[in-house]
Amino acid sequence: MSKYKRQYFLPPQGYMDWAKKDYIEKAPIWCSVDLRDGNQALIEPMSLEEKLEFFKLLVNIGFKEIEVGFPAASETEFDFLRALIERGMIPEDVTIQVLTQAREHIIKRTFEALNGAPKAVVHLYNSTSVAQREQVFKKDKDEIKQLAVDGAKLLKRLAEETDGSFMFEYSPESFHGTELDYALEVCNAVLDVWRPDEKVKSIINLPATVETAMPHVFASQIEYMSKNMKYRDNVILSVHPHNDRGCGVSDAEMAVLAGADRIEGTLFGNGERTGNVDIITVAMNMLSYGVETGLNFKNMPEIREIYERLTGMEVSPRQPYAGDLVFTAFSGSHQDAIAKGMAWREEKQLEEWTVPYLPIDPVDVGRTYDADVIRINSQSGKGGVAYILKQNFSISVPERMRAEVGYAVKQISDEEHKELSPQWVYEIFTENYLDYTPHFSISECHFKQCDGIMAEATILQGEKRIVVDANGNGRLDAVSNILKQFYDISYELSVYEEHALSKGSSSKAMAFVGILCDGKLYWGAGIDEDIIKASIHALVVAVNKLPKLNNDKSLNDDRLITMINYIQSNFKTVTLEDVADEFHLSTPYVSKYIKDKSGKTFGEHVTQIRMKRAKTLLKNGNMTVENIAYAVGYPNAEHFIRLFKKTFGMTPTQYRGLNH
């Protein structure tokens, strides 16, 4: 729009050496102006006692220079400075700083407040911008410069007459809107009055009173001033960025690259209008590159609590390094990257910070991983959910299981439209993978060595208890065969993982089982002091999820279940007549009943049970094919071999060869 125009002044060409640097090698001198610029911007400025507490906070953080106020502005400001001095609250290694306009009565009142100060910077300023000169003061360049020079002379004279140790600082206020050559001229004129030397240096502070230029322009302005300033070796070049364009941090960082030695700013960027530069962000940015800052933000939550309580301001949830959501990943890809990065660091035992998507180690600002880093909502990923379970409950979800667990949690969050707490995530996991037994459970299981492992399991279906046995390569395989035979199902034990949940004699074990059925994995988990019991429970949960159990109405037919169990218990010699006699029914009725309810004939059930038992015996031990045929109910070995080949597409000998 035509009513707006650029209000800054560019330096001559050639002041771009700062752009050749890619990081800050050494931290600047830090000066907190929270108690002056920050305080005057509050709706309700802090009381005397509140300012004293805030001063202690700044000292504890490590600030060696603290601007404590404008003592000539109000009695509270004056009394605060006197309290610091008279109560001996200023540490030997801390220098206080006070601000004063270049006006005689204000300067004199300032030195009255400073009497007896152990070490203090007296900060003199007057506005030098074109707009201020022409519209406010209605003075020309020489008159404005003379105000600065006269103020500098008065500072020097009163410092000699006042008890204390003093250093001087000058700011050409509204530096952005001042012609650079003129700003340099005024600063050099002030320095000619003070004549800084190696023992007593002076500070020239260049404030972006109203931020009107882009950060790279500000950096070039600073480089121009740095390279052309008198007494440069004995001048501390300071910057005081504001944040009107949202560039306060980049202004400060680029200014340091351009030659600035010092930064004036506030905690969390508090200050006039849109704020001062946020020293926390600038310092932590440097720390993330391994630069020692001299400031201690290792207890950021406490710093934030004190700051909010004393100032009445709120730290944004997304405030860099200090906000609630800083060390947080909701996005699935970010969570996966963080979780894997942390696991990789732990595996490699690295001390350096190498985790993606996190600027620094949360521990370095007093934060934690479990509550801060991974936040679970509908956008979360498998890695984030797995990380929460690992960090909070020591549950190491298998890699192949994580996607399914993640989707289960995300579905709940999506339905509830809420962020999920770690406890809620655990409850979802428990409901879906630890406690899911809608169709059956196994209450007890006994094992004995007999051509492999023979298992006898008690299956509970509601109030019904059915005892079933089967043989297998190992205990879990034997129980798996029980379930396959009893429910007439087929699946493959595809994944098995276990780990300890705690240490000591009463430690519990965690087991995960994944079974493959029709190309899909079904998962279950178990926890018990006995790893075998945990494994069996995990298997039971996984089998409970199979579609056949969900859709098979025969599972609710008590008579059919009892008949099938009778056949399984007597598979070696059982006949249809035996079943009919056992249940006091006619043979034709039993035959039709089994076929109608299960979809298989009596003979198919017997053959299937015998063939599964034969496979187990072929895998385990060295029984001959003839003996195995007899053991599963076929006195004629040739008949057994033909049935086996018809069922599995290979002879018993060929099958044994594949499994040995």
Side-chain angles (χ1 to χ4, degrees), residues 9 103 111 118 187 195 200 206 235 259 273 286 327 367 382 392-393 429 478 586 626 639 652 660:
F9 294 88
R103 299 169 66 183
F111 274 93
C187 290
R195 295 189 177 278
V200 183
L206 303 175
V235 170
R273 302 181 304 279
M286 293 181 191
F327 300 104
R367 302 285 287 272
K382 60 182 181 181
N392 292 272
F393 307 103
F429 176 82
S586 69
E626 289 77 9
H639 177 59
H660 279 263

Side-chain angles (χ1 to χ4, degrees), residues 10-183:
L10 290 170
Q13 292 184 355
Y15 291 93
M16 289 288 291
D17 286 347
W18 65 269
K20 300 174 185 177
K21 305 173 184 178
D22 65 324
Y23 67 96
I24 295 170
E25 297 181 353
K26 179 183 177 183
I29 299 168
W30 307 103
C31 178
S32 163
V33 295
D34 289 271
L35 293 169
R36 198 273 301 172
D37 216 354
N39 185 54
Q40 73 184 31
L42 300 177
I43 296 174
E44 294 185 15
M46 287 181 277
S47 67
L48 173 61
E49 293 304 319
E50 287 172 335
K51 291 189 74 172
L52 290 171
E53 183 178 352
F54 205 110
F55 179 81
K56 293 178 182 178
L57 171 66
L58 296 172
V59 170
N60 290 336
I61 289 172
F63 284 99
K64 302 305 179 186
E65 296 187 11
I66 302 172
E67 189 167 83
V68 296
F70 198 141
S74 71
E75 285 304 312
T76 300
E77 300 282 284
F78 189 97
D79 292 344
F80 171 55
L81 177 53
R82 292 312 307 161
L84 290 175
I85 296 171
E86 292 169 5
R87 297 183 191 182
M89 295 181 62
I90 306 170
E92 292 182 2
D93 61 346
V94 172
T95 300
I96 59 170
Q97 177 173 306
V98 293
L99 185 70
T100 177
Q101 291 176 322
R103 299 169 66 183
E104 183 176 356
H105 72 283
I106 293 177
I107 294 173
K108 288 182 177 179
R109 179 65 170 167
T110 299
F111 274 93
E112 289 177 18
L114 281 170
N115 188 52
K119 285 189 296 185
V121 171
V122 186
H123 182 183
L124 175 74
Y125 77 95
N126 69 308
S127 186
T128 58
S129 69
V130 175
Q132 293 271 22
R133 294 197 313 260
E134 295 178 353
Q135 299 172 33
V136 180
F137 299 109
K138 302 187 185 302
K139 295 180 182 291
D140 61 23
K141 288 183 177 180
D142 288 340
E143 289 174 310
I144 292 295
K145 180 174 70 174
Q146 193 59 47
L147 282 176
V149 170
D150 290 344
K153 290 179 179 178
L154 185 56
L155 254 65
K156 189 173 183 178
R157 178 171 65 81
L158 291 177
E160 294 173 353
E161 299 172 357
T162 305
D163 179 26
S165 176
F166 304 105
M167 185 177 177
F168 304 134
E169 174 179 348
Y170 173 70
S171 291
E173 191 187 13
S174 303
F175 170 72
H176 261 180
T178 303
E179 306 92 330
L180 284 181
D181 57 346
Y182 178 62

Side-chain angles (χ1 to χ4, degrees), residues 455-485:
E456 181 185 85
T458 301
I459 298 176
L460 300 182
Q461 289 185 161
E463 296 181 356
K464 308 180 197 68
R465 299 169 59 88
I466 307 118
V467 178
V468 188
D469 65 359
N471 193 277
N473 295 323
R475 295 183 180 186
L476 190 62
D477 184 55
V479 176
S480 179
N481 287 335
I482 285 176
L483 299 178
K484 288 177 181 179
Q485 293 171 14

Side-chain angles (χ1 to χ4, degrees), residues 397-398 400-405 429 432-434 436 438-440 476 480 483 489-497 511-526 535-551:
V397 179
R400 294 172 66 184
M401 184 182 179
R402 291 177 185 176
E404 181 180 317
V405 176
F429 176 82
N432 284 273
Y433 301 100
L434 285 171
Y436 187 83
H439 304 298
F440 76 94
L476 190 62
S480 179
L483 299 178
I489 52 178
S490 178
Y491 61 81
E492 177 187 345
L493 270 170
S494 181
V495 182
Y496 174 78
E497 291 188 19
F512 295 92
V513 169
I515 60 175
L516 188 64
C517 181
D518 295 330
K520 180 179 178 181
L521 271 172
Y522 297 87
W523 291 94
S535 304
I536 292 171
H537 184 80
L539 173 64
V540 166
V541 171
V543 172
N544 265 275
K545 294 182 177 181
L546 294 179
K548 180 173 176 25
L549 270 71
N550 287 312
N551 301 326

Side-chain angles (χ1 to χ4, degrees), residues 335 374 376 380-390 405-406 409 425:
Q335 289 180 348
I374 303 296
I376 303 301
S380 299
K382 60 182 181 181
V385 173
Y387 181 80
I388 287 292
L389 291 171
K390 171 68 174 176
V405 176
V409 172
V425 171

Side-chain angles (χ1 to χ4, degrees), residues 424-601:
W424 198 348
V425 171
Y426 176 74
E427 289 170 1
I428 294 170
F429 176 82
T430 298
E431 180 180 352
N432 284 273
Y433 301 100
L434 285 171
D435 295 343
Y436 187 83
T437 55
H439 304 298
F440 76 94
S441 62
I442 291 180
S443 62
E444 58 181 300
C445 204
H446 304 283
F447 303 95
K448 62 181 178 179
Q449 190 77 32
C450 179
D451 297 323
I453 298 294
M454 178 63 71
E456 181 185 85
T458 301
I459 298 176
L460 300 182
Q461 289 185 161
E463 296 181 356
K464 308 180 197 68
R465 299 169 59 88
I466 307 118
V467 178
V468 188
D469 65 359
N471 193 277
N473 295 323
R475 295 183 180 186
L476 190 62
D477 184 55
V479 176
S480 179
N481 287 335
I482 285 176
L483 299 178
K484 288 177 181 179
Q485 293 171 14
F486 183 72
Y487 288 112
D488 188 24
I489 52 178
S490 178
Y491 61 81
E492 177 187 345
L493 270 170
S494 181
V495 182
Y496 174 78
E497 291 188 19
E498 64 181 59
H499 67 81
L501 280 179
S502 58
K503 297 180 180 180
S505 57
S506 61
S507 64
K508 290 188 176 181
M510 183 98 196
F512 295 92
V513 169
I515 60 175
L516 188 64
C517 181
D518 295 330
K520 180 179 178 181
L521 271 172
Y522 297 87
W523 291 94
I527 298 176
D528 199 277
E529 293 178 8
D530 184 336
I531 188 59
I532 299 300
K533 290 182 180 179
S535 304
I536 292 171
H537 184 80
L539 173 64
V540 166
V541 171
V543 172
N544 265 275
K545 294 182 177 181
L546 294 179
K548 180 173 176 25
L549 270 71
N550 287 312
N551 301 326
D552 195 345
K553 295 180 180 179
S554 67
L555 296 180
N556 297 318
D557 191 308
D558 294 347
R559 176 180 282 178
L560 177 64
I561 291 172
T562 308
M563 286 181 179
I564 298 300
N565 189 45
Y566 178 80
I567 294 170
Q568 290 173 332
S569 300
N570 302 278
F571 72 93
K572 185 175 179 179
T573 59
V574 70
T575 64
L576 187 60
E577 289 74 15
D578 292 337
V579 179
D581 290 343
E582 177 70 18
F583 293 93
H584 309 291
L585 299 168
S586 69
T587 301
Y589 180 85
V590 170
S591 177
K592 186 175 185 302
Y593 186 87
I594 292 175
K595 173 66 174 177
D596 290 346
K597 295 295 184 179
S598 70
K600 293 180 182 180
T601 66

